[in-house]
Amino acid sequence: MLRYSTYQSIYDRKADSRNEGALRKGAARLNEAIANSISNIFARITLFKLLVFILFVVIAWAGMASAVASSPDHDVVESESVVVKRGDSLWKIAAAHKPGDMDTRVYVTAIQRVNGLAGSNIQPGDILVLPMK
């Protein structure tokens, strides 16, 4: 047998080329799997960032809503209470406690509205809340 030969079998090349093709396909599948996992990781990170942003917006909106709701610019109705005595009527109480520039009828209506009265019937001992503006 010859010690050094330049002979190469064509059948061995086919086996080598088959192995190389399988290796290439395996490497391509591995690269594709790695690319898919990386894109999934980025998608999850993006989704997480989106959720954090939405949470931040909701918290900021709730804070602004509570700040606006608690602002002192709202109409605050000051009130005074009066205990009804014998002989008092809604008209007498309204005439005695109404602001000077207000009509007594308007003030009687305001007293009825604040106290939830359907009519002008009041009893001694009742406590009426008188609106002040």
Side-chain angles (χ1 to χ4, degrees), residues 18-33:
R18 286 182 191 159
N19 289 340
E20 288 176 8
L23 287 175
R24 286 182 188 160
K25 286 181 185 177
R29 287 181 186 158
L30 180 62
N31 287 340
E32 185 179 335

Side-chain angles (χ1 to χ4, degrees), residues 41-69:
I41 290 170
F42 282 121
R44 288 181 184 172
I45 290 173
T46 303
L47 180 63
F48 178 74
K49 286 180 182 179
L50 180 64
L51 290 175
V52 168
F53 176 74
I54 289 172
L55 181 65
F56 175 78
V57 169
V58 168
I59 290 172
W61 180 80
M64 287 188 300
S66 66
V68 169

Side-chain angles (χ1 to χ4, degrees), residues 74 103 108:
H74 295 290
D103 187 17
V108 167

Side-chain angles (χ1 to χ4, degrees), residues 38-112:
I38 290 174
S39 66
N40 285 341
I41 290 170
F42 282 121
R44 288 181 184 172
I45 290 173
T46 303
L47 180 63
F48 178 74
K49 286 180 182 179
L50 180 64
L51 290 175
V52 168
F53 176 74
I54 289 172
L55 181 65
F56 175 78
V57 169
V58 168
I59 290 172
W61 180 80
M64 287 188 300
S66 66
V68 169
S70 65
S71 70
D73 295 334
H74 295 290
D75 289 337
V76 177
V77 178
E78 296 178 15
S79 63
E80 174 185 346
S81 23
V82 171
V83 178
V84 178
K85 298 176 187 163
R86 181 176 291 179
D88 281 347
S89 67
L90 206 51
W91 186 269
K92 286 181 185 176
I93 293 172
H97 296 282
K98 71 177 180 77
D101 59 343
M102 186 179 280
D103 187 17
T104 307
R105 292 173 292 193
V106 173
Y107 199 64
V108 167
T109 306
I111 293 173
Q112 288 174 331

